[in-house]
Amino acid sequence: MKSLLIKTAAVAAMMAAVTASAQNNPGVLTVEQIMRDPKWMGSSPSGVAWGHTGNMLFFNWNPDQAPADSLYRISLADKSPRKVLTGGQQEVVYEDQLRYNRNRSAAVWAKDGDIFYRAPGGKVIRITQTLEAEYNPVFSFNDTRVVYTRSQNLYSWEIATGASQQLTNFTNDTPSDKNKKGNAEEEWLKKEQLATMDVLLERSNKRSATERYQKAVEPAGLRPVYLGGNALTGIAISPDGRFVTYQLYTAGNGKRTIVPDYVTESGYTTDISGRTKVGSPQGSARFFVYDRIKDTAYKINTEQIPGIRDIPVFVKDYPEQWEKLKKDSALRNVNIWGVAWAPNGRYALLDVYADDNKDRWLMLMDTATRNLKLVDRQHDDAWIGGPGIDQRSTGWIDNETLWFQSEATGYAHLYLYSLASGTKRGLTKGNYEVQDAKLSRDKRSFYITTNEVHPGEKQFYRLNIKTGEAIQLTTMAGANEVSLSPDEKYLAIRNSFINKPWELYLQENRAGARPVQITSKAQSEAYRQIKWRTPEVISFTARDGVPVYARIYKPENAKPGMPAVFFVHGAGYLQNAHKWWSSYFREYMFNNLLADNGYYVMDIDYRGSAGYGRDWRTGIYRHMGGKDLTDHVDAVKYLTDTYKIDPAKVGIYGGSYGGFMSLMALFTTPDVFVSGAALRPVTDWANYNHGYTSNILNEPFTDSIAYHKSSPIYFAKGLKGNLLICHGMVDVNVHYQDAVKLAQRLMELKKDNWELASYPMEDHGFVEPVSWTDEYKRIFKLFEQTLKNKQ
């Protein structure tokens, strides 16, 4: 076996030659150059938000290349960016922090742990000023009071009088044992004491009389609601102030992992408390409605939910378990992740998810009866997700009409539901996604962001609810991230293109309006001097007949027989073969470097990527390294047929899920991929977290078939080519344990064509330029040696 670390002398010699070439040819990229602190590239605005008055736009920016971003602002009158001084930053309140009354004449917000109210005339009143933190203010009691949370209880502030009132009494205390009866022996003894001791009886009678009097003359207190050691979550009040909804969450008792941190200031190894693993016991929640008038809390019965006892289809692959569950199909655990109240408080829309995430129900709760009625059920044998569903976007247009998003057609679209008729109506349709939706102030339109123009573009529209007509408001190519001004007269647009980082624009809210550029520092002079490629966004046909979108970086002097490298983006539901600036900006620059050095580079949105609808999203269900890998194998054929690359000189690299894919490529299709770099890879999915993994592979002990098909460690025997593994040792996401386990397995298999580079002070996403530089020098050397036979 080679040394676990690539020979640094060889790396240094090769990179010295490349550096010398770059000095003689200023246009030639080097790893050292592109892996520097990203500030060398320029500064893009971020955190764009309107101020609460509506005439100021704020954003984070760093045109001066300071150690960190600063807060900047522009006004509608003066569009020149100006830095907000440190003292002034404390006064900034963003519009998206505001909660309005029904006619939007007044607003409330929380800042620095206190509550503020802006009256219809514009006067701002500080409602609270306490050492305890207050948060989550809303209008309630038909807009006559502001209700907020303090120490897990609700309080109200009456607008007309300024009077405050505590509305709930949730407590972690336990019920008093004062009136609790003892056992038979204790009760008999107590009775005998009172019967035989006159003074004891007299004192007992006086105490009872005093307690009865105090109870009669004292105002009625709030009945305590005992939490019983559970966590209180999702507390919300109805618009009329009568009902409070909340959940009691019982945490799971799963064992937590430990990540050792070896390089510390103290000189001692310390342990970082990590996450649990997939399949670890999860918590459970119970949903309650507290009626303040009746002073009674009711638990909502989930047995009313249609399909609550359904058995997941994958269990059919385990006949014994299937037969057992058919005989005793228990209630599935559910969580209610959102409550949207009708304006009059008569109904609440509950956003309910099964713990196995194969169902999402929108249930209408009648507050008078507490009965639930199904509005919409989204079921998927794989898992529920997609734009607007993951974000749990729902709301009311009026007391009779609510809106939500669904992937019922295979793509995330916008729907209305009528309480009167009990019917749904689609507002959008087509083979594209509604990726964001916001109701207009007058509730006659939606503002939506979609990828209708192209899967790799984001454009902003105004959608008329009555007619269904959508008017496109943005026109710049790439992606347009829009923040609408409070009065809806202006669009603040953050726009970028494939080879141009994000800049800020301001545009009037009308079709055909010209966007005015506000910032211009996203590209430094040093960055502009480099001739960056604009990779072509293409599609090719996979073996099952569906189009796969990709970016292609082409070498300048292309000719038949050139090598190719695939970059595989990470997951967590992500898209990268698009027309805007990638979050993988280092890899964008490295792919340019590879193309400069005579490689074709391809970056595909394989099965499981975002942006292409439900079937694409769930295409990896129960088999990671299945269709997502064959998409890459089909891409090799496309490059061979179209650009005449040498199919015997193909490499692959990527991080996280991309690292996992690189392993699966080298282990299961070793005749296609000659070499690869697996960066911070998952090697055994049973080691990863529950929220992500259980959706795709279920749980290890319920679906071992899926885990064995999807985990690279079971296929390590297939390695033929050359493998580089790079992993941060304090990675709290994909633990370094994954790399260690694979290293042990490769040694046991007597493989001698692999190497492991460890980074003692790096987490999942590297932060130090020295680490990025070292890692990508190794990747470049790997491809130069294995695809070009350079030593």
Side-chain angles (χ1 to χ4, degrees):
M1 184 185 72
K2 291 182 182 179
S3 167
L4 288 182
L5 292 178
I6 295 177
K7 301 176 181 65
T8 50
V11 176
M14 175 170 288
M15 295 315 300
V18 174
T19 302
S21 174
Q23 290 173 347
N24 296 327
N25 302 280
V28 176
L29 293 173
T30 67
V31 174
E32 288 91 341
Q33 178 185 16
I34 63 179
M35 295 300 166
R36 290 176 289 169
D37 186 320
K39 288 197 291 290
W40 80 269
M41 301 165 57
S43 176
S44 288
S46 63
V48 178
W50 290 91
H52 74 97
T53 59
N55 60 359
M56 290 283 185
L57 181 67
F58 297 90
F59 53 94
N60 297 317
W61 199 30
N62 190 7
D64 301 326
Q65 304 297 293
D69 285 5
S70 297
L71 184 65
Y72 280 75
R73 66 167 176 82
I74 64 166
S75 69
L76 296 176
D78 180 5
K79 298 179 178 60
S80 300
R82 300 184 185 280
K83 187 181 291 189
V84 178
L85 299 178
T86 303
Q89 294 176 7
Q90 306 303 316
E91 304 302 320
V92 175
V93 178
Y94 297 127
E95 194 274 339
D96 59 3
Q97 298 173 320
L98 272 57
R99 297 295 177 266
Y100 291 96
N101 59 358
R102 291 180 192 175
N103 63 13
R104 294 180 68 92
S105 62
V108 291
W109 64 89
K111 186 172 179 63
D112 299 329
D114 287 316
I115 307 299
F116 296 81
Y117 167 72
R118 188 180 71 201
K123 181 181 178 181
V124 175
I125 300 172
R126 187 172 192 159
I127 296 176
T128 66
Q129 190 171 6
T130 65
L131 293 178
E132 289 187 279
E134 290 89 20
Y135 53 94
N136 195 30
V138 295
F139 286 93
S140 186
F141 294 87
N142 299 313
D143 285 353
T144 63
R145 300 193 204 179
V146 173
V147 175
Y148 55 89
T149 305
R150 176 200 294 159
S151 299
Q152 71 183 9
N153 274 300
L154 294 181
Y155 294 78
S156 74
W157 178 78
E158 191 168 22
I159 296 172
T161 66
S164 294
Q165 179 185 3
Q166 184 171 342
L167 303 178
T168 62
N169 187 17
F170 294 105
T171 177
N172 285 313
D173 295 337
T174 56
S176 173
D177 291 334
K178 181 178 178 181
N179 299 316
K180 182 179 178 182
K181 284 191 175 183
N183 56 37
E185 185 272 337
E186 291 171 345
E187 290 299 310
W188 180 88
L189 185 60
K190 179 180 178 180
K191 183 177 179 181
E192 284 298 301
Q193 288 291 96
L194 294 176
T196 58
M197 301 291 179
D198 292 341
V199 174
L200 279 179
L201 179 62
E202 182 180 353
R203 289 179 179 179
S204 176
N205 290 336
K206 285 182 178 180
R207 184 173 62 252
S208 297
T210 300
E211 289 174 354
R212 287 194 298 271
Y213 174 77
Q214 288 177 339
K215 189 174 182 179
V217 299
E218 288 180 355
L222 284 171
R223 184 171 71 95
V225 178
Y226 298 102
L227 301 181
N230 300 295
L232 177 69
T233 65
I235 184 169
I237 193 166
S238 61
D240 59 7
R242 176 173 177 176
F243 299 99
V244 176
T245 57
Y246 61 95
Q247 285 194 108
L248 294 184
Y249 178 77
T250 304
N253 59 352
K255 182 177 180 179
R256 304 194 74 83
T257 54
I258 294 174
V259 178
D261 187 0
Y262 292 98
V263 184
T264 64
E265 291 185 11
S266 68
Y268 289 88
T269 298
T270 60
D271 289 335
I272 300 171
S273 178
R275 51 167 171 77
T276 58
K277 294 189 177 186
V278 58
S280 175
Q282 301 298 296
S284 60
R286 292 164 292 155
F287 186 78
F288 294 85
V289 176
Y290 172 51
D291 187 333
R292 294 185 57 253
I293 292 179
K294 294 183 178 180
D295 192 24
T296 305
Y298 305 92
K299 181 178 179 292
I300 297 301
N301 182 9
T302 59
E303 291 187 27
Q304 305 175 51
I305 299 176
I308 193 66
R309 296 181 183 272
D310 286 0
I311 305 170
V313 173
F314 80 85
V315 182
K316 289 182 179 179
D317 284 351
Y318 306 89
E320 184 177 336
Q321 184 69 7
W322 177 259
E323 293 301 323
K324 181 180 177 181
L325 290 176
K326 281 201 303 182
K327 293 177 182 177
D328 182 23
S329 55
L331 288 172
R332 286 188 285 164
N333 287 331
V334 299
N335 273 287
I336 297 176
W337 288 109
V339 178
W341 287 97
N344 60 10
R346 181 179 174 185
Y347 295 101
L349 182 67
L350 310 184
D351 204 348
V352 187
Y353 286 75
D355 277 5
D356 62 20
N357 215 16
K358 299 184 188 303
D359 278 284
R360 179 223 194 183
W361 300 272
L362 296 177
M363 304 297 297
L364 192 68
M365 182 184 71
D366 187 330
T367 54
T369 63
R370 300 181 302 283
N371 290 331
L372 302 182
K373 177 183 178 182
L374 181 66
V375 170
D376 184 68
R377 178 186 180 185
Q378 296 177 68
H379 172 81
D380 199 305
D381 288 342
W383 77 94
I384 295 298
I389 296 96
D390 285 338
Q391 292 81 11
R392 293 153 183 132
S393 299
T394 59
W396 293 79
I397 294 177
D398 52 42
N399 287 315
E400 295 296 323
T401 311
L402 54 87
W403 65 271
F404 61 94
Q405 284 184 253
S406 168
E407 279 189 326
T409 65
Y411 292 85
H413 282 294
L414 197 57
Y415 293 83
L416 299 183
Y417 177 85
S418 168
L419 271 65
S421 64
T423 57
K424 291 176 285 189
R425 174 167 71 94
L427 284 179
T428 59
K429 62 181 180 180
N431 293 344
Y432 65 90
E433 294 182 334
V434 175
Q435 299 184 337
D436 186 62
K438 179 180 179 180
L439 189 62
S440 66
R441 289 182 60 177
D442 61 13
K443 299 187 176 183
R444 297 177 181 177
S445 302
F446 278 96
Y447 290 99
I448 60 175
T449 299
T450 82
N451 62 353
E452 181 177 6
V453 172
H454 185 278
E457 282 200 29
K458 292 185 179 184
Q459 300 291 349
F460 189 72
Y461 301 79
R462 182 171 56 246
L463 172 68
N464 186 289
I465 294 176
K466 185 176 181 180
T467 66
E469 179 186 11
I471 299 174
Q472 185 173 332
L473 300 173
T474 56
T475 57
M476 292 182 286
N480 296 280
E481 297 180 351
V482 177
S483 178
L484 193 64
S485 65
D487 59 8
E488 298 183 3
K489 292 182 179 180
Y490 289 92
L491 313 178
I493 306 170
R494 215 171 71 107
N495 173 269
S496 71
F497 193 62
I498 294 176
N499 62 344
K500 295 178 181 178
W502 300 92
E503 297 282 17
L504 181 62
Y505 298 79
L506 191 65
Q507 178 187 313
E508 291 182 29
N509 182 10
R510 58 181 176 83
R514 184 178 66 87
V516 177
Q517 188 166 346
I518 302 300
T519 64
S520 59
K521 297 290 186 178
Q523 301 176 65
S524 67
E525 188 58 36
Y527 181 86
R528 286 194 185 97
Q529 287 180 355
I530 299 171
K531 185 180 179 181
W532 298 105
R533 286 170 177 77
T534 302
E536 184 181 357
V537 178
I538 59 96
S539 66
F540 63 90
T541 303
R543 62 189 63 189
D544 56 356
V546 297
V548 182
Y549 284 84
R551 284 182 172 189
I552 296 181
Y553 301 76
K554 302 174 187 176
E556 289 293 333
N557 301 310
K559 58 184 178 181
M562 300 187 83
V565 170
F566 282 81
F567 165 64
V568 190
H569 70 68
Y573 202 41
L574 187 145
Q575 181 181 13
N576 204 50
H578 49 60
K579 295 184 179 181
W580 63 88
W581 183 246
S582 174
S583 58
Y584 290 96
F585 59 88
R586 292 182 180 89
E587 289 77 4
Y588 165 78
M589 293 187 289
F590 185 68
N591 292 342
N592 269 269
L593 183 152
L594 289 174
D596 285 350
N597 283 273
Y599 296 88
Y600 278 91
V601 184
M602 200 168 188
D603 170 8
I604 77 172
D605 277 338
Y606 50 86
R607 233 62 70 100
S609 297
Y612 306 95
R614 178 193 61 210
D615 294 344
W616 200 262
R617 174 177 58 79
T618 60
I620 56 174
Y621 179 59
R622 299 189 70 204
H623 192 184
M624 297 174 176
K627 289 183 179 180
D628 45 2
L629 180 54
T630 60
D631 287 342
H632 282 87
V633 175
D634 294 342
V636 174
K637 183 178 185 302
Y638 171 82
L639 287 180
T640 304
D641 294 343
T642 307
Y643 299 105
K644 310 304 178 187
I645 67 157
D646 186 344
K649 297 178 180 178
V650 180
I652 188 169
Y653 83 99
S656 195
Y657 197 95
F660 151 77
M661 285 287 291
S662 298
L663 293 177
M664 291 297 274
L666 291 178
F667 293 173
T668 66
T669 57
D671 296 326
V672 178
F673 296 96
V674 172
S675 60
L679 320 177
R680 51 200 181 276
V682 174
T683 67
D684 184 349
W685 283 107
N687 290 334
Y688 201 50
N689 68 37
H690 186 86
Y692 178 82
T693 318
S694 64
N695 282 347
I696 305 172
L697 300 181
N698 304 307
E699 295 172 312
F701 52 86
T702 60
D703 198 0
S704 59
I705 293 172
Y707 282 81
H708 280 84
K709 285 195 301 185
S710 302
S711 295
I713 200 162
Y714 297 112
F715 302 96
K717 186 177 181 180
L719 178 63
K720 293 181 181 178
N722 296 271
L723 169 63
L724 167 65
I725 307 167
C726 298
H727 211 129
M729 294 177 69
V730 286
D731 190 334
V732 297
N733 183 9
V734 179
H735 295 167
Y736 183 64
Q737 177 192 29
D738 272 69
V740 173
K741 287 177 64 175
L742 182 59
Q744 177 63 29
R745 183 62 183 144
L746 290 170
M747 286 189 287
E748 292 173 356
L749 293 167
K750 298 180 173 60
K751 299 293 181 179
D752 60 2
N753 48 347
W754 63 277
E755 297 161 321
L756 170 63
S758 303
Y759 297 85
M761 298 183 68
E762 295 291 0
D763 199 340
H764 195 60
F766 287 9
V767 296
E768 299 297 336
V770 65
S771 301
W772 284 105
T773 301
D774 181 88
E775 182 178 50
Y776 277 79
K777 278 184 177 180
R778 297 177 186 278
I779 299 170
F780 184 69
K781 176 178 180 284
L782 172 73
F783 292 144
E784 288 285 277
Q785 288 186 339
T786 60
L787 304 182
K788 289 185 178 179
N789 297 319
K790 288 187 177 182
Q791 298 302 321

